[in-house]
Amino acid sequence: MRTTRRGFALATAGLLTPFTIARASASAATFTAKQVAFQNAMRALWEEHITWTRLFIVDFIAAAPEQEATKARLLRNQTDLGAAVRPYYGEEGDRALAKLLTDHIVLAAGVLAAAKAGDRANLTTAKDQWYANGNDIAAFLHTANPVHWPLAGMRTMMRDHLDNTLAEAVAHLTGEWADDIAAYDRVHRQILAMADMLNAGIVGQFPGAFA
């Protein structure tokens, strides 16, 4: 089964325009059902990433009793994201990405802890480590798919994700509720674009898997 460009847009009503799939198959007039399904699966996983991250921010700052359960669910999402690339980058790629993303969450928790404590020295160190991990994730993605995931683009993508998440956390910590909500809206828009970028790279690198 194949879907026209108009049909694809209708099928994904309420989501961002799938411009990155179009870039990956610029000469194609249609999208396959496998491409549509894969894009939606990637978006769902990355939306889980930001949803559980937000819940952990809220729980941690409030010292809520469920914060450890929330963190555990957030960490499970990193394993799920690693598993999502296993068909294309193998078991080693799965483990490597899951490890980098797990570190991403653990380091983010360190940033939150230092910010909540007002510990400026440790906050600077924690932020430096978190952004360095973002660069490591970008490097991993570029190495896995150098044609479709250029290093500069991956670094920008990760930096935007971290910047937006940090703005969300700071706004929530300081009680700037309108800014907090606006920051999460930016996080949401950016993560969908990020999911599409990653989706398009895999479709472009492994077109036979989506025929």
Side-chain angles (χ1 to χ4, degrees), residues 38-49:
F38 185 63
Q39 182 188 45
N40 287 340
M42 288 291 283
R43 284 183 164 203
L45 284 171
W46 284 106
E47 283 191 308
E48 282 188 13
H49 180 83

Side-chain angles (χ1 to χ4, degrees), residues 83-129:
V85 304
R86 180 183 282 228
Y88 314 101
Y89 303 118
E91 184 177 347
E92 184 177 350
D94 171 350
R95 288 200 309 267
L97 181 59
K99 174 64 166 61
L100 286 166
L101 290 173
T102 297
D103 290 346
H104 163 68
I105 298 304
V106 172
L107 291 169
V111 172
L112 270 178
K116 185 178 178 181
D119 188 340
R120 295 196 175 197
N122 279 337
L123 178 59
T124 297
T125 299
K127 284 171 59 179
D128 287 347
Q129 292 173 340

Side-chain angles (χ1 to χ4, degrees), residues 10-162:
L10 291 173
T12 56
L15 300 178
L16 295 180
T17 302
F19 65 93
T20 47
I21 286 188
R23 266 179 28 199
S25 313
S27 62
T30 59
F31 299 109
T32 69
K34 287 182 180 180
Q35 287 174 319
V36 174
F38 185 63
Q39 182 188 45
N40 287 340
M42 288 291 283
R43 284 183 164 203
L45 284 171
W46 284 106
E47 283 191 308
E48 282 188 13
H49 180 83
I50 62 165
T51 298
W52 288 107
T53 294
R54 176 156 183 84
L55 288 170
F56 180 68
I57 290 170
V58 172
D59 286 353
F60 183 86
I61 290 173
E66 70 271 18
Q67 65 178 279
E68 287 304 316
T70 300
K71 183 179 179 181
R73 179 60 181 84
L74 174 57
L75 289 171
R76 193 180 94 195
N77 173 252
Q78 315 322 302
T79 301
D80 293 342
L81 284 164
V85 304
R86 180 183 282 228
Y88 314 101
Y89 303 118
E91 184 177 347
E92 184 177 350
D94 171 350
R95 288 200 309 267
L97 181 59
K99 174 64 166 61
L100 286 166
L101 290 173
T102 297
D103 290 346
H104 163 68
I105 298 304
V106 172
L107 291 169
V111 172
L112 270 178
K116 185 178 178 181
D119 188 340
R120 295 196 175 197
N122 279 337
L123 178 59
T124 297
T125 299
K127 284 171 59 179
D128 287 347
Q129 292 173 340
W130 194 40
Y131 277 82
N133 168 260
N135 284 335
D136 289 343
I137 294 171
F140 167 81
L141 294 170
H142 169 67
T143 300
N145 191 345
V147 173
H148 298 95
W149 291 337
L151 183 58
M154 294 297 99
R155 282 181 172 172
T156 297
M157 178 188 75
M158 287 304 304
R159 186 178 64 248
D160 288 348
H161 173 57
L162 299 185

Side-chain angles (χ1 to χ4, degrees), residues 56 189 210:
F56 180 68
R189 288 192 296 270
F210 300 93

